[in-house]
Amino acid sequence: SPRPTERLVLQVPARALLEGDTVTLRCRGWEDSVVTGVRFYHEEKGLRGPLKGTELSLSPLQLHHGGRYRCGGWVNSGPSLWWEKSAPVTVTVHGECGNGNG
């Protein structure tokens, strides 16, 4: 369960994720606090590539995109800036029917 001190939350769509889908992961600040310098991590490895602010687009979704994700960023809380990392969230990718994974 999330600690109340967690200032970042990684949001993943709450539906079944299928190969080929367009999926967006969002890094949200607690109570909509401003988050800057967001980075995303997959299995604790930092992801490079084009970042659109606080969103990471996995499109088209592939089986290798499955696994644990988290995000990190600078959270602006009043006069202070904190570097925070979100709790890990597991992404499960379901293969298309007929390829042996469905």
Side-chain angles (χ1 to χ4, degrees):
S1 65
R3 308 189 315 272
T5 54
E6 271 168 4
R7 296 184 183 92
L8 278 188
V9 178
L10 182 60
Q11 293 183 322
V12 175
R15 56 182 168 84
L17 304 180
L18 304 175
E19 251 186 305
D21 277 0
T22 295
V23 173
T24 301
L25 310 184
R26 285 183 178 84
C27 197
R28 291 274 312 269
W30 188 255
E31 293 176 343
D32 289 323
S33 49
V34 176
V35 184
T36 56
V38 170
R39 299 200 53 187
F40 288 89
Y41 303 87
H42 181 218
E43 300 296 352
E44 304 302 330
K45 293 190 193 71
L47 294 177
R48 304 173 183 275
L51 272 186
K52 199 177 72 188
T54 59
E55 297 183 351
L56 173 70
S57 180
L58 303 178
S59 174
L61 194 61
Q62 318 257 315
L63 286 175
H64 70 257
H65 285 139
R68 294 188 326 145
Y69 286 84
R70 60 205 305 177
C71 65
W74 291 100
V75 179
N76 188 345
S77 177
S80 308
L81 271 180
W82 278 281
W83 174 258
E84 291 281 333
K85 275 176 107 168
S86 74
V89 178
T90 299
V91 171
T92 302
V93 181
H94 301 277
E96 296 173 33
C97 290
N99 65 1
N101 289 318

